[in-house]
Amino acid sequence: MLTLPPATPTSSFAARMLDLCVRLQGTICDGLEALDGTAAFGRDAWERPGGGGGEARVIENGLVFEKGGVNVSAVHGMLPERMAGAFGVDAKPFFATGISSVIHPRNPHVPTVHFNFRYFALGDDLAAPEDQWFGGGADLTPYFPDLRDVVHFHQVWKTVCDRHRTVADYADYKAKCDRYFHLPHRNEARGVGGIFFDYLRDDPAAVFAFVEDAGHAVLDAYAPIVERTKSEPFSEREQAFQEIRRGRYAEFNLAYDRGTRFGLETNGRTESILMSLPPRAQWHYAWVPEAGSREAQATAFFQPHDWLGGDVPSAS
């Protein structure tokens, strides 16, 4: 269940962030349901044995969205030794809350989207934690990218960052996103990026304002793209390429994603942690796109580019 540790003041960033995540979950699920037009999000509340829990909201088999989830969690307890070592701190009480989402559309012309915004605190007193930080971001994974959609997505996030210049730098967060969502074993990006930030400790009030603004921008960044593409006809060949790219998505989430590791290390709920995986994917031995094909043109997008500076990908 979505609960705070006992005696947590409502003025704390822990309480304010949990409240924001709950509100965003409702708003974003409502917006996605309206885009789909047929399917609704189911609700599944869960408890973590060590403290706290969450609510998973999952949509499946919709007209537009084949599978997706918008999950909120708030967990607390003693930080496991292994995670404490990863953070470079001693094992001590922790609190973590956040909202995380992955949406897998049915139509290969509609991109997959991911976003998450999170807060982490260490210490017994959440009114004055020993340490606290924010992280998050959003990224887009198209299958047949359209430059108009990529530019729109990035422009929304640049606009949000520009409103919070003291704590948010679009160029820096874009570069961090490009580095993070990279598959080293494939030497390619998971998609076309977005923004990514972590360990924001300075001026928590200003950072919280940025995170709140970013959370409310999710639908602005994604909904117009869905509206434009959701009715486009598609072929079996295009769907097969979507599933090949979904395989890359699964590879990243299982091999590299920090959120997946954190959830598993802290005994989080497995179904919620692995909600990000697509319902169908393909792997083919030594697959490469045919030269000059639409698949080859799409693959050219999966490297870092200056999307807002006119850097247009071209297939080799």
Side-chain angles (χ1 to χ4, degrees):
M1 301 294 288
L2 290 165
T3 59
L4 292 158
T8 301
T10 57
S11 60
S12 67
F13 286 109
R16 293 169 66 188
M17 185 65 179
L18 176 55
D19 176 69
L20 172 63
C21 291
V22 171
R23 288 187 286 113
L24 287 174
Q25 186 182 41
T27 300
I28 292 169
C29 286
D30 287 348
L32 293 172
E33 285 179 356
L35 284 168
D36 188 274
T38 59
F41 281 87
R43 300 187 180 196
D44 186 12
W46 55 275
E47 293 186 27
R48 176 179 174 270
E55 181 176 280
R57 295 195 187 181
V58 177
I59 190 169
E60 290 185 296
N61 301 317
L63 184 66
V64 176
F65 303 120
E66 187 173 13
K67 179 189 176 187
V70 183
N71 297 343
V72 171
S73 63
V75 298
H76 52 86
M78 286 298 296
L79 190 66
E81 291 282 352
R82 188 168 172 181
M83 292 305 298
F87 288 146
V89 300
D90 296 329
K92 56 184 64 178
F94 81 97
F95 172 78
T97 188
I99 181 170
S100 179
S101 177
V102 175
I103 304 297
H104 291 292
R106 184 178 302 281
N107 189 323
H109 297 292
V110 184
T112 284
V113 73
H114 157 261
F115 69 85
N116 78 86
F117 303 102
R118 57 192 180 275
Y119 168 83
F120 195 94
L122 289 172
D124 290 304
D125 184 5
L126 290 179
E130 296 176 35
D131 196 2
Q132 62 181 341
W133 62 84
F134 294 85
D139 68 287
L140 194 71
T141 304
Y143 304 97
F144 292 94
D146 186 302
L147 189 60
R148 293 171 295 176
D149 298 335
V150 180
V151 168
H152 166 80
F153 189 80
H154 278 266
Q155 186 61 62
V156 168
W157 297 116
K158 183 179 187 302
T159 300
V160 172
C161 290
D162 287 351
R163 288 198 289 261
H164 303 271
R165 291 180 186 274
T166 60
V167 294
D169 181 334
Y170 165 76
D172 179 45
Y173 293 175
K174 176 195 179 296
K176 284 183 169 67
C177 189
D178 289 339
R179 289 194 296 270
Y180 182 73
F181 293 107
H182 177 74
L183 285 78
H185 63 286
R186 300 283 189 184
N187 192 29
E188 65 184 29
R190 187 173 79 172
V192 296
I195 59 170
F196 179 83
F197 56 93
D198 209 354
Y199 302 111
L200 297 189
R201 291 181 167 90
D202 298 336
D203 197 349
V207 173
F208 178 78
F210 162 60
V211 170
E212 184 173 32
D213 196 4
H216 287 298
V218 166
L219 288 174
D220 294 337
Y222 188 53
I225 299 172
V226 178
E227 287 283 14
R228 192 188 71 78
T229 57
K230 67 180 183 179
S231 298
E232 289 193 24
F234 60 90
S235 66
E236 290 184 5
R237 173 172 172 163
E238 289 167 330
Q239 192 165 49
F241 182 64
Q242 176 194 47
E243 293 176 6
I244 289 170
R245 293 303 308 175
R246 281 177 169 184
R248 304 287 207 267
Y249 203 97
E251 288 173 19
F252 177 87
N253 282 28
L254 293 174
Y256 302 109
D257 187 69
R258 296 179 197 166
T260 301
R261 293 205 305 268
F262 177 79
L264 295 175
E265 290 287 347
T266 55
N267 296 318
R269 183 170 180 266
T270 301
E271 286 299 319
S272 298
I273 296 164
L274 299 182
M275 173 275 301
S276 63
L277 297 179
R280 293 175 294 118
Q282 293 188 30
W283 284 265
H284 296 280
Y285 183 76
W287 182 90
V288 293
E290 179 184 344
S293 66
R294 292 191 64 217
E295 291 82 0
Q297 293 169 4
T299 303
F301 275 73
F302 305 136
Q303 296 293 336
H305 295 277
D306 180 8
W307 303 111
L308 301 182
D311 180 7
V312 180
S314 60
S316 57

